[in-house]
Amino acid sequence: MTAVAVHHLYKSYAGKTAVKDLTFSVDPGEILGLIGPNGAGKSSTIKIILDFMKPDSGEVKIFGHPMNEACKNQIGYLPEERGLYKKLTAIDLILYLASLKGMDKVTAEKKANVLLQRTGMLESKKMKNKEMSKGMGQIIQFIVTIIHDPKLIILDEPFSGLDPVNTEIIRNIIGNLRDEGKAIILSTHQMNKVEELCDRVLMINQGQAVLYGDLKETRARFSKNSVQVNVEGEIGDLPGVIDKKFNKGSVELVLAPDTTPQIILDQLRDHGIAINRFEITTPSLNEIFLNIAGGNHE
Amino acid sequence: MNKTYLIFKHEFLHTIKRISWIIMTLIVPVIALLGIGIIALVTTLSEPPEDVIQVIGYVDEVGIFENQTTQGYTRLVPFASKEDANQALVRKDVTEYIIIPSDYTSSGIIQRYTLEKELITPPTTASMIKSFLTGNLLKDKVPPDIVTLIVSPLNLEVTRVSEKGDIALEQSNFGNLIIPGVFSLLLGLALMFGATSLISGLGEEKESRLIEVLFSSVSIRQLLISKVLALGTAGLLQVLVWLISAPLLLNLASSSFGGFMSNIQIPGNFLILGIVYFILGYLLFAVLSIGIGAISSNAREGGELSMFYTLTSFAPLWLSSLYIAFPNSSIWVVLTIFPITAPVQTMLRLGGSDIHLWQIITSIGVLVLSIIGGLFLSIKIFRMNMLMHGKRPGFAEIIHSLKNA
């Protein structure tokens, strides 16, 4: 069963269109990357999914039903900013919010200790939230999000404030959750994380979906006919190469439409050029993002 | 476990662990009764000891004031001139002196000179001087016992009669106003602190986006009703502590401050109505605070906006001197029925005057309807505006949210 199904969603307020004819879905066992420039409508979309606000029109179904109280226990939500009760300790906060998700205290405490141990926060569990750094608070909030084993997890900038070690830990946990069959929506500006983790991507700009589909296919769709090479010596002029771009020891050879990368590889070999690296150029998601979002702003 | 109960328990414990709540509940009533006792002590200590002769000098320019120079423990000593009297004052042979000018019989003005810095002439001193003057003015004109009556003609003994003509069980006494007055002050303060605390908590949850985490787990109705009930229960606990401790504290105070405290009576229906109005007051203010929390851009702004109703609730106390003078005016009936002032005003009236049953019923009815209606509206406004922080919705937006939420 599809975890989240959004159909023709519309939402505007104060005369501004926040979401326009948005349709997408998220299935169990996949991570959907939700990206877009600031003010694109990502947060509004998340809030409508979570039933924080009603759409002007359109439909949202969670596990086949409109959002209801029973669904809420199956959802874990990590907002963009750190939402913690300052005077509570980490463990008290986790247990309280876990209880609101229907967990009993004993189970919640056991699971909390496991997650705290895994994230290196076990010794800090009695620390008050106001004493924590941003990164520590972020980890606690992440634990709150997943402790009740939700089937649908919505993460808004989960890596914010984390050092590289904790980023890696959280990244691994998210990957494990996906492998366990959770449906995950990951909203972030860190395109490299989307590329590492996500199966599909939805890019919103000015309230509309401008990109939606499998990540690899999307990158392939936007790929240029070019190769990145790193060779010994000069390349010289090669037939079929219409442009060369030098970048930190590598060269990007832009090919003519009728020239394939294989032809260039053969030519380099035939010229006796020692090749250290030969790679078909695939644009990064960041480049695709800039291409689409930047183009629409002009 | 029921989510409403879980939130209620969390909010209730959070409320009663606040320093302000603890201070209001445990310490302020003690301070209030101490204050009463201190007033009584200061009044008593300000009077000169009865076994010490107080000497007041006087200069009689009229020439008729030579008798009645001993008034209780005050002795009046004549001086030939103002300069002599002034020197005696400086030497502290006299505590003060008065000048009875030559035109006194037409002007009625007496000049008084003292070394003390005072706000008003001590009543005992004024009484002694008045007795001296009156005694001399009426000398040989009326018998001495009549002079005493002229000086103090009125010594009222008031007996309250019931509507059946019998002696009423509860007699009028200024002491009857003490406990209701203290209680209404404490109620006003408790409501103000409670409202501020709720708004502050809501503002913190909004600003930190914690409100979104909560709403991903519970409904708006569950969250807000839990907060309202938690605050109301904290209020109930507070009033129970006060009501239980009031007689104990009065007894303690009586032994410390003498018979004054034993004159204080607690009106018969005060306990039940006190609890009822306290709880309803807390619930009303909780509901209002939710609405304010919904439209405030942050906790600080919410606190400022809440001043509208928290200060209004104190209106009966600001007007208390008028109430003492005119306890049966119909304006107090209006304030008893108007929901924001009803709790404090009713507490005051319980001590000072009769409240007809219809007024109590109407007041409670209006309060209950206000709480229900206010909760309904506040939830609607909160739902539409809970995600707006950093920006306060305008009036048109609030009306729009009421129509569409």
Side-chain angles (χ1 to χ4, degrees), chain A residues 47 51-52 54 69 72-73 77 79 81-83 85-86 88 96-97 99-101 141, chain B residues 3 6-7 10 204-205 207-210 212-219 222 383 387:
Chain A
K47 283 165 190 167
D51 200 33
F52 291 172
K54 299 291 185 196
E69 290 310 306
K72 290 193 176 189
N73 286 353
Y77 170 54
E81 290 171 30
R82 198 161 43 128
Y85 287 113
K86 290 176 189 166
L88 282 186
Y96 171 55
L97 294 177
S99 71
L100 294 183
K101 289 293 188 184
Q141 218 166 336
Chain B
K3 290 184 183 182
L6 287 167
I7 300 169
H10 171 84
E204 183 190 341
E205 286 169 350
E207 285 174 71
S208 70
R209 307 283 280 270
L210 186 62
E212 296 183 11
V213 176
L214 292 170
F215 285 138
S216 70
S217 305
V218 300
S219 69
Q222 281 174 316
R383 186 180 175 81
L387 302 171

mmCIF file of all heavy atoms in Angstrom, chain A residues 47 51-52 54 69 72-73 77 79 81-83 85-86 88 96-97 99-101 141, chain B residues 3 6-7 10 204-205 207-210 212-219 222 383 387:
data_model
loop_
_atom_site.group_PDB
_atom_site.id
_atom_site.type_symbol
_atom_site.label_atom_id
_atom_site.label_comp_id
_atom_site.label_asym_id
_atom_site.label_seq_id
_atom_site.Cartn_x
_atom_site.Cartn_y
_atom_site.Cartn_z
ATOM 1 N N LYS A 47 3.304 20.272 5.570
ATOM 2 C CA LYS A 47 2.268 20.617 6.554
ATOM 3 C C LYS A 47 0.899 20.119 6.116
ATOM 4 O O LYS A 47 0.082 19.721 6.951
ATOM 5 C CB LYS A 47 2.236 22.131 6.779
ATOM 6 C CG LYS A 47 3.376 22.593 7.662
ATOM 7 C CD LYS A 47 3.598 24.088 7.604
ATOM 8 C CE LYS A 47 4.897 24.429 8.323
ATOM 9 N NZ LYS A 47 5.354 25.793 8.067
ATOM 10 N N ASP A 51 -1.476 17.282 7.920
ATOM 11 C CA ASP A 51 -2.782 17.820 8.330
ATOM 12 C C ASP A 51 -2.645 18.987 9.298
ATOM 13 O O ASP A 51 -3.542 19.263 10.091
ATOM 14 C CB ASP A 51 -3.637 16.710 8.981
ATOM 15 C CG ASP A 51 -5.119 17.053 8.976
ATOM 16 O OD1 ASP A 51 -5.572 17.723 8.023
ATOM 17 O OD2 ASP A 51 -5.822 16.692 9.937
ATOM 18 N N PHE A 52 -1.546 19.712 9.208
ATOM 19 C CA PHE A 52 -1.424 20.952 9.988
ATOM 20 C C PHE A 52 -2.293 22.019 9.369
ATOM 21 O O PHE A 52 -2.731 22.947 10.045
ATOM 22 C CB PHE A 52 0.023 21.440 10.025
ATOM 23 C CG PHE A 52 0.956 20.567 10.816
ATOM 24 C CD1 PHE A 52 2.317 20.799 10.789
ATOM 25 C CD2 PHE A 52 0.487 19.523 11.593
ATOM 26 C CE1 PHE A 52 3.188 19.997 11.513
ATOM 27 C CE2 PHE A 52 1.345 18.722 12.319
ATOM 28 C CZ PHE A 52 2.704 18.960 12.273
ATOM 29 N N LYS A 54 -5.279 22.643 5.958
ATOM 30 C CA LYS A 54 -6.081 21.999 4.912
ATOM 31 C C LYS A 54 -5.740 22.597 3.557
ATOM 32 O O LYS A 54 -5.524 23.813 3.451
ATOM 33 C CB LYS A 54 -7.585 22.247 5.178
ATOM 34 C CG LYS A 54 -8.083 21.694 6.494
ATOM 35 C CD LYS A 54 -8.091 20.189 6.482
ATOM 36 C CE LYS A 54 -8.707 19.653 7.765
ATOM 37 N NZ LYS A 54 -8.405 18.236 7.967
ATOM 38 N N GLU A 69 -6.435 10.135 13.605
ATOM 39 C CA GLU A 69 -5.635 9.995 14.828
ATOM 40 C C GLU A 69 -4.823 8.709 14.823
ATOM 41 O O GLU A 69 -3.707 8.663 15.335
ATOM 42 C CB GLU A 69 -6.551 10.039 16.060
ATOM 43 C CG GLU A 69 -7.168 11.402 16.327
ATOM 44 C CD GLU A 69 -6.138 12.516 16.322
ATOM 45 O OE1 GLU A 69 -5.147 12.429 17.053
ATOM 46 O OE2 GLU A 69 -6.309 13.498 15.563
ATOM 47 N N LYS A 72 -1.504 9.013 13.061
ATOM 48 C CA LYS A 72 -0.450 9.814 13.678
ATOM 49 C C LYS A 72 0.564 8.964 14.416
ATOM 50 O O LYS A 72 1.737 9.318 14.498
ATOM 51 C CB LYS A 72 -1.074 10.856 14.626
ATOM 52 C CG LYS A 72 -1.824 11.934 13.875
ATOM 53 C CD LYS A 72 -2.170 13.127 14.748
ATOM 54 C CE LYS A 72 -2.825 14.179 13.881
ATOM 55 N NZ LYS A 72 -3.008 15.450 14.583
ATOM 56 N N ASN A 73 0.119 7.845 14.972
ATOM 57 C CA ASN A 73 1.062 6.971 15.673
ATOM 58 C C ASN A 73 2.009 6.268 14.709
ATOM 59 O O ASN A 73 3.014 5.711 15.135
ATOM 60 C CB ASN A 73 0.302 5.915 16.489
ATOM 61 C CG ASN A 73 -0.339 6.506 17.724
ATOM 62 O OD1 ASN A 73 -0.116 7.676 18.050
ATOM 63 N ND2 ASN A 73 -1.144 5.719 18.415
ATOM 64 N N TYR A 77 7.880 12.703 12.564
ATOM 65 C CA TYR A 77 8.144 13.972 11.879
ATOM 66 C C TYR A 77 9.267 14.713 12.580
ATOM 67 O O TYR A 77 9.246 14.906 13.793
ATOM 68 C CB TYR A 77 6.871 14.824 11.855
ATOM 69 C CG TYR A 77 7.078 16.244 11.383
ATOM 70 C CD1 TYR A 77 7.686 16.522 10.163
ATOM 71 C CD2 TYR A 77 6.662 17.321 12.139
ATOM 72 C CE1 TYR A 77 7.884 17.812 9.722
ATOM 73 C CE2 TYR A 77 6.849 18.622 11.718
ATOM 74 C CZ TYR A 77 7.462 18.864 10.500
ATOM 75 O OH TYR A 77 7.643 20.156 10.065
ATOM 76 N N PRO A 79 10.898 18.317 12.397
ATOM 77 C CA PRO A 79 10.815 19.635 11.771
ATOM 78 C C PRO A 79 12.202 20.227 11.550
ATOM 79 O O PRO A 79 13.190 19.735 12.096
ATOM 80 C CB PRO A 79 10.021 20.464 12.803
ATOM 81 C CG PRO A 79 10.281 19.797 14.102
ATOM 82 C CD PRO A 79 10.521 18.354 13.808
ATOM 83 N N GLU A 81 13.487 23.078 12.515
ATOM 84 C CA GLU A 81 14.158 23.679 13.661
ATOM 85 C C GLU A 81 14.037 22.780 14.876
ATOM 86 O O GLU A 81 13.129 21.978 14.991
ATOM 87 C CB GLU A 81 13.555 25.056 13.939
ATOM 88 C CG GLU A 81 13.931 26.050 12.865
ATOM 89 C CD GLU A 81 13.186 27.353 13.004
ATOM 90 O OE1 GLU A 81 12.840 27.721 14.139
ATOM 91 O OE2 GLU A 81 12.944 28.012 11.991
ATOM 92 N N ARG A 82 14.956 22.994 15.795
ATOM 93 C CA ARG A 82 15.032 22.133 16.976
ATOM 94 C C ARG A 82 13.862 22.462 17.898
ATOM 95 O O ARG A 82 13.787 23.548 18.460
ATOM 96 C CB ARG A 82 16.355 22.403 17.679
ATOM 97 C CG ARG A 82 16.787 21.346 18.647
ATOM 98 C CD ARG A 82 18.273 21.465 18.910
ATOM 99 N NE ARG A 82 18.704 22.828 19.097
ATOM 100 C CZ ARG A 82 19.410 23.231 20.132
ATOM 101 N NH1 ARG A 82 19.697 22.404 21.085
ATOM 102 N NH2 ARG A 82 19.821 24.471 20.215
ATOM 103 N N GLY A 83 12.959 21.495 18.091
ATOM 104 C CA GLY A 83 11.823 21.726 18.977
ATOM 105 C C GLY A 83 11.938 20.883 20.223
ATOM 106 O O GLY A 83 11.582 19.712 20.237
ATOM 107 N N TYR A 85 11.684 20.893 24.729
ATOM 108 C CA TYR A 85 11.379 21.584 25.982
ATOM 109 C C TYR A 85 12.719 21.819 26.685
ATOM 110 O O TYR A 85 13.403 20.880 27.063
ATOM 111 C CB TYR A 85 10.478 20.742 26.874
ATOM 112 C CG TYR A 85 9.055 20.651 26.400
ATOM 113 C CD1 TYR A 85 8.523 19.456 25.951
ATOM 114 C CD2 TYR A 85 8.227 21.771 26.412
ATOM 115 C CE1 TYR A 85 7.211 19.372 25.524
ATOM 116 C CE2 TYR A 85 6.909 21.695 25.985
ATOM 117 C CZ TYR A 85 6.417 20.492 25.535
ATOM 118 O OH TYR A 85 5.108 20.405 25.113
ATOM 119 N N LYS A 86 13.051 23.069 26.869
ATOM 120 C CA LYS A 86 14.400 23.387 27.352
ATOM 121 C C LYS A 86 14.705 22.815 28.719
ATOM 122 O O LYS A 86 15.830 22.419 29.008
ATOM 123 C CB LYS A 86 14.581 24.902 27.374
ATOM 124 C CG LYS A 86 14.649 25.524 26.002
ATOM 125 C CD LYS A 86 14.737 27.028 26.062
ATOM 126 C CE LYS A 86 14.583 27.617 24.674
ATOM 127 N NZ LYS A 86 14.341 29.053 24.703
ATOM 128 N N LEU A 88 13.464 20.165 30.196
ATOM 129 C CA LEU A 88 13.409 18.710 30.347
ATOM 130 C C LEU A 88 14.757 18.104 29.998
ATOM 131 O O LEU A 88 15.498 18.641 29.174
ATOM 132 C CB LEU A 88 12.357 18.114 29.415
ATOM 133 C CG LEU A 88 10.894 18.218 29.811
ATOM 134 C CD1 LEU A 88 10.028 17.439 28.834
ATOM 135 C CD2 LEU A 88 10.656 17.715 31.217
ATOM 136 N N TYR A 96 8.409 11.264 26.997
ATOM 137 C CA TYR A 96 7.123 11.964 26.932
ATOM 138 C C TYR A 96 6.572 11.931 25.505
ATOM 139 O O TYR A 96 5.419 11.545 25.278
ATOM 140 C CB TYR A 96 7.289 13.404 27.413
ATOM 141 C CG TYR A 96 6.067 14.281 27.177
ATOM 142 C CD1 TYR A 96 4.815 13.906 27.670
ATOM 143 C CD2 TYR A 96 6.157 15.467 26.477
ATOM 144 C CE1 TYR A 96 3.694 14.691 27.459
ATOM 145 C CE2 TYR A 96 5.035 16.262 26.269
ATOM 146 C CZ TYR A 96 3.817 15.875 26.756
ATOM 147 O OH TYR A 96 2.695 16.662 26.547
ATOM 148 N N LEU A 97 7.406 12.319 24.551
ATOM 149 C CA LEU A 97 6.921 12.353 23.171
ATOM 150 C C LEU A 97 6.657 10.942 22.639
ATOM 151 O O LEU A 97 5.778 10.751 21.811
ATOM 152 C CB LEU A 97 7.916 13.107 22.281
ATOM 153 C CG LEU A 97 8.028 14.602 22.615
ATOM 154 C CD1 LEU A 97 9.075 15.299 21.754
ATOM 155 C CD2 LEU A 97 6.682 15.310 22.420
ATOM 156 N N SER A 99 5.459 8.563 24.476
ATOM 157 C CA SER A 99 4.156 8.179 25.047
ATOM 158 C C SER A 99 3.016 8.759 24.226
ATOM 159 O O SER A 99 1.963 8.145 24.095
ATOM 160 C CB SER A 99 4.052 8.643 26.505
ATOM 161 O OG SER A 99 3.916 10.048 26.591
ATOM 162 N N LEU A 100 3.248 9.936 23.643
ATOM 163 C CA LEU A 100 2.198 10.528 22.807
ATOM 164 C C LEU A 100 2.025 9.771 21.502
ATOM 165 O O LEU A 100 1.046 9.971 20.786
ATOM 166 C CB LEU A 100 2.519 11.999 22.507
ATOM 167 C CG LEU A 100 2.510 12.943 23.705
ATOM 168 C CD1 LEU A 100 2.767 14.379 23.257
ATOM 169 C CD2 LEU A 100 1.196 12.870 24.460
ATOM 170 N N LYS A 101 2.990 8.929 21.200
ATOM 171 C CA LYS A 101 2.871 8.084 20.012
ATOM 172 C C LYS A 101 2.362 6.698 20.372
ATOM 173 O O LYS A 101 2.391 5.790 19.547
ATOM 174 C CB LYS A 101 4.252 7.938 19.331
ATOM 175 C CG LYS A 101 4.737 9.190 18.646
ATOM 176 C CD LYS A 101 3.893 9.549 17.439
ATOM 177 C CE LYS A 101 4.510 10.686 16.647
ATOM 178 N NZ LYS A 101 3.658 11.103 15.536
ATOM 179 N N GLN A 141 16.173 14.963 18.771
ATOM 180 C CA GLN A 141 14.933 15.105 18.033
ATOM 181 C C GLN A 141 14.777 13.994 16.986
ATOM 182 O O GLN A 141 13.667 13.528 16.739
ATOM 183 C CB GLN A 141 14.885 16.468 17.351
ATOM 184 C CG GLN A 141 13.505 17.030 17.383
ATOM 185 C CD GLN A 141 13.437 18.478 17.037
ATOM 186 O OE1 GLN A 141 14.409 19.212 17.186
ATOM 187 N NE2 GLN A 141 12.296 18.911 16.580
ATOM 188 N N LYS B 3 -4.123 10.081 25.314
ATOM 189 C CA LYS B 3 -3.176 11.161 25.023
ATOM 190 C C LYS B 3 -3.554 12.451 25.749
ATOM 191 O O LYS B 3 -2.674 13.212 26.155
ATOM 192 C CB LYS B 3 -3.111 11.396 23.513
ATOM 193 C CG LYS B 3 -2.432 10.254 22.775
ATOM 194 C CD LYS B 3 -2.298 10.566 21.299
ATOM 195 C CE LYS B 3 -1.679 9.374 20.578
ATOM 196 N NZ LYS B 3 -1.488 9.629 19.145
ATOM 197 N N LEU B 6 -2.147 12.209 29.096
ATOM 198 C CA LEU B 6 -0.680 12.332 29.104
ATOM 199 C C LEU B 6 -0.255 13.796 29.017
ATOM 200 O O LEU B 6 0.645 14.245 29.730
ATOM 201 C CB LEU B 6 -0.093 11.544 27.927
ATOM 202 C CG LEU B 6 -0.118 10.019 28.070
ATOM 203 C CD1 LEU B 6 0.199 9.354 26.730
ATOM 204 C CD2 LEU B 6 0.844 9.549 29.135
ATOM 205 N N ILE B 7 -0.916 14.521 28.119
ATOM 206 C CA ILE B 7 -0.563 15.941 27.982
ATOM 207 C C ILE B 7 -0.983 16.700 29.236
ATOM 208 O O ILE B 7 -0.250 17.558 29.734
ATOM 209 C CB ILE B 7 -1.241 16.563 26.742
ATOM 210 C CG1 ILE B 7 -0.796 15.821 25.489
ATOM 211 C CG2 ILE B 7 -0.916 18.036 26.621
ATOM 212 C CD1 ILE B 7 -1.612 16.181 24.270
ATOM 213 N N HIS B 10 1.540 16.108 31.945
ATOM 214 C CA HIS B 10 2.780 16.833 31.666
ATOM 215 C C HIS B 10 2.608 18.316 31.964
ATOM 216 O O HIS B 10 3.435 18.938 32.641
ATOM 217 C CB HIS B 10 3.167 16.609 30.203
ATOM 218 C CG HIS B 10 4.297 17.471 29.732
ATOM 219 N ND1 HIS B 10 5.619 17.165 29.927
ATOM 220 C CD2 HIS B 10 4.294 18.664 29.079
ATOM 221 C CE1 HIS B 10 6.377 18.118 29.416
ATOM 222 N NE2 HIS B 10 5.600 19.040 28.894
ATOM 223 N N GLU B 204 6.751 29.550 23.398
ATOM 224 C CA GLU B 204 7.991 28.780 23.291
ATOM 225 C C GLU B 204 7.793 27.601 22.348
ATOM 226 O O GLU B 204 8.652 27.297 21.520
ATOM 227 C CB GLU B 204 8.401 28.277 24.681
ATOM 228 C CG GLU B 204 9.722 27.522 24.705
ATOM 229 C CD GLU B 204 9.971 26.840 26.040
ATOM 230 O OE1 GLU B 204 9.339 27.223 27.037
ATOM 231 O OE2 GLU B 204 10.790 25.916 26.080
ATOM 232 N N GLU B 205 6.647 26.940 22.467
ATOM 233 C CA GLU B 205 6.384 25.784 21.593
ATOM 234 C C GLU B 205 6.260 26.213 20.136
ATOM 235 O O GLU B 205 6.687 25.503 19.230
ATOM 236 C CB GLU B 205 5.124 25.056 22.056
ATOM 237 C CG GLU B 205 5.322 24.246 23.335
ATOM 238 C CD GLU B 205 4.025 23.749 23.931
ATOM 239 O OE1 GLU B 205 2.953 24.183 23.461
ATOM 240 O OE2 GLU B 205 4.075 22.942 24.861
ATOM 241 N N GLU B 207 7.618 29.018 18.756
ATOM 242 C CA GLU B 207 8.895 29.522 18.243
ATOM 243 C C GLU B 207 9.882 28.397 17.971
ATOM 244 O O GLU B 207 10.677 28.466 17.042
ATOM 245 C CB GLU B 207 9.515 30.503 19.252
ATOM 246 C CG GLU B 207 8.830 31.858 19.275
ATOM 247 C CD GLU B 207 9.377 32.757 20.372
ATOM 248 O OE1 GLU B 207 10.513 33.209 20.234
ATOM 249 O OE2 GLU B 207 8.666 32.982 21.358
ATOM 250 N N SER B 208 9.849 27.351 18.800
ATOM 251 C CA SER B 208 10.807 26.256 18.637
ATOM 252 C C SER B 208 10.292 25.190 17.688
ATOM 253 O O SER B 208 10.962 24.199 17.459
ATOM 254 C CB SER B 208 11.082 25.611 20.004
ATOM 255 O OG SER B 208 9.941 24.907 20.454
ATOM 256 N N ARG B 209 9.123 25.374 17.124
ATOM 257 C CA ARG B 209 8.493 24.394 16.213
ATOM 258 C C ARG B 209 8.118 23.105 16.950
ATOM 259 O O ARG B 209 7.723 22.125 16.315
ATOM 260 C CB ARG B 209 9.400 24.056 15.022
ATOM 261 C CG ARG B 209 9.895 25.261 14.269
ATOM 262 C CD ARG B 209 8.828 25.847 13.377
ATOM 263 N NE ARG B 209 8.682 25.123 12.149
ATOM 264 C CZ ARG B 209 9.352 25.379 11.031
ATOM 265 N NH1 ARG B 209 10.224 26.350 11.004
ATOM 266 N NH2 ARG B 209 9.142 24.652 9.948
ATOM 267 N N LEU B 210 8.254 23.115 18.265
ATOM 268 C CA LEU B 210 7.827 21.943 19.038
ATOM 269 C C LEU B 210 6.341 21.695 18.844
ATOM 270 O O LEU B 210 5.866 20.553 18.906
ATOM 271 C CB LEU B 210 8.131 22.178 20.523
ATOM 272 C CG LEU B 210 7.876 21.004 21.472
ATOM 273 C CD1 LEU B 210 8.753 19.835 21.113
ATOM 274 C CD2 LEU B 210 8.142 21.417 22.903
ATOM 275 N N GLU B 212 4.747 21.734 16.219
ATOM 276 C CA GLU B 212 4.542 20.868 15.059
ATOM 277 C C GLU B 212 4.779 19.408 15.431
ATOM 278 O O GLU B 212 4.064 18.513 14.952
ATOM 279 C CB GLU B 212 5.478 21.282 13.917
ATOM 280 C CG GLU B 212 5.185 22.682 13.399
ATOM 281 C CD GLU B 212 6.065 23.069 12.235
ATOM 282 O OE1 GLU B 212 6.760 22.193 11.683
ATOM 283 O OE2 GLU B 212 6.077 24.253 11.881
ATOM 284 N N VAL B 213 5.778 19.163 16.266
ATOM 285 C CA VAL B 213 6.023 17.789 16.722
ATOM 286 C C VAL B 213 4.813 17.290 17.515
ATOM 287 O O VAL B 213 4.362 16.150 17.352
ATOM 288 C CB VAL B 213 7.299 17.729 17.585
ATOM 289 C CG1 VAL B 213 7.506 16.337 18.149
ATOM 290 C CG2 VAL B 213 8.505 18.155 16.764
ATOM 291 N N LEU B 214 4.277 18.169 18.349
ATOM 292 C CA LEU B 214 3.109 17.785 19.154
ATOM 293 C C LEU B 214 1.916 17.493 18.265
ATOM 294 O O LEU B 214 1.209 16.504 18.464
ATOM 295 C CB LEU B 214 2.763 18.898 20.153
ATOM 296 C CG LEU B 214 3.791 19.113 21.277
ATOM 297 C CD1 LEU B 214 3.476 20.374 22.055
ATOM 298 C CD2 LEU B 214 3.825 17.915 22.206
ATOM 299 N N PHE B 215 1.694 18.339 17.274
ATOM 300 C CA PHE B 215 0.530 18.140 16.412
ATOM 301 C C PHE B 215 0.691 16.980 15.459
ATOM 302 O O PHE B 215 -0.286 16.540 14.857
ATOM 303 C CB PHE B 215 0.208 19.424 15.643
ATOM 304 C CG PHE B 215 -0.431 20.464 16.504
ATOM 305 C CD1 PHE B 215 -0.070 21.783 16.403
ATOM 306 C CD2 PHE B 215 -1.393 20.120 17.427
ATOM 307 C CE1 PHE B 215 -0.645 22.742 17.208
ATOM 308 C CE2 PHE B 215 -1.982 21.087 18.244
ATOM 309 C CZ PHE B 215 -1.596 22.398 18.126
ATOM 310 N N SER B 216 1.931 16.489 15.308
ATOM 311 C CA SER B 216 2.081 15.263 14.523
ATOM 312 C C SER B 216 1.694 14.049 15.350
ATOM 313 O O SER B 216 1.645 12.933 14.839
ATOM 314 C CB SER B 216 3.521 15.125 14.013
ATOM 315 O OG SER B 216 4.393 14.845 15.081
ATOM 316 N N SER B 217 1.446 14.276 16.660
ATOM 317 C CA SER B 217 1.094 13.170 17.556
ATOM 318 C C SER B 217 -0.329 13.265 18.076
ATOM 319 O O SER B 217 -0.974 12.252 18.318
ATOM 320 C CB SER B 217 2.044 13.130 18.766
ATOM 321 O OG SER B 217 3.379 13.057 18.350
ATOM 322 N N VAL B 218 -0.793 14.496 18.296
ATOM 323 C CA VAL B 218 -2.122 14.671 18.895
ATOM 324 C C VAL B 218 -2.881 15.725 18.096
ATOM 325 O O VAL B 218 -2.288 16.458 17.307
ATOM 326 C CB VAL B 218 -2.019 15.109 20.371
ATOM 327 C CG1 VAL B 218 -1.279 14.072 21.192
ATOM 328 C CG2 VAL B 218 -1.361 16.460 20.508
ATOM 329 N N SER B 219 -4.175 15.798 18.336
ATOM 330 C CA SER B 219 -4.973 16.809 17.649
ATOM 331 C C SER B 219 -4.877 18.134 18.408
ATOM 332 O O SER B 219 -4.502 18.170 19.583
ATOM 333 C CB SER B 219 -6.435 16.373 17.559
ATOM 334 O OG SER B 219 -7.020 16.389 18.856
ATOM 335 N N GLN B 222 -7.126 18.067 21.455
ATOM 336 C CA GLN B 222 -6.553 17.329 22.590
ATOM 337 C C GLN B 222 -5.522 18.171 23.321
ATOM 338 O O GLN B 222 -5.508 18.256 24.551
ATOM 339 C CB GLN B 222 -5.873 16.039 22.096
ATOM 340 C CG GLN B 222 -6.813 14.904 21.804
ATOM 341 C CD GLN B 222 -6.106 13.719 21.189
ATOM 342 O OE1 GLN B 222 -5.267 13.863 20.295
ATOM 343 N NE2 GLN B 222 -6.432 12.533 21.643
ATOM 344 N N ARG B 383 -5.805 26.864 15.261
ATOM 345 C CA ARG B 383 -5.556 25.948 14.151
ATOM 346 C C ARG B 383 -5.041 26.688 12.930
ATOM 347 O O ARG B 383 -4.132 26.258 12.250
ATOM 348 C CB ARG B 383 -6.828 25.187 13.803
ATOM 349 C CG ARG B 383 -6.590 24.140 12.762
ATOM 350 C CD ARG B 383 -7.834 23.366 12.390
ATOM 351 N NE ARG B 383 -7.534 22.473 11.298
ATOM 352 C CZ ARG B 383 -6.950 21.288 11.411
ATOM 353 N NH1 ARG B 383 -6.655 20.833 12.602
ATOM 354 N NH2 ARG B 383 -6.697 20.549 10.363
ATOM 355 N N LEU B 387 0.947 28.010 13.078
ATOM 356 C CA LEU B 387 2.218 27.870 12.389
ATOM 357 C C LEU B 387 2.842 29.220 12.077
ATOM 358 O O LEU B 387 3.957 29.286 11.598
ATOM 359 C CB LEU B 387 2.005 27.080 11.089
ATOM 360 C CG LEU B 387 1.401 25.702 11.309
ATOM 361 C CD1 LEU B 387 1.027 25.072 9.995
ATOM 362 C CD2 LEU B 387 2.355 24.811 12.079
#
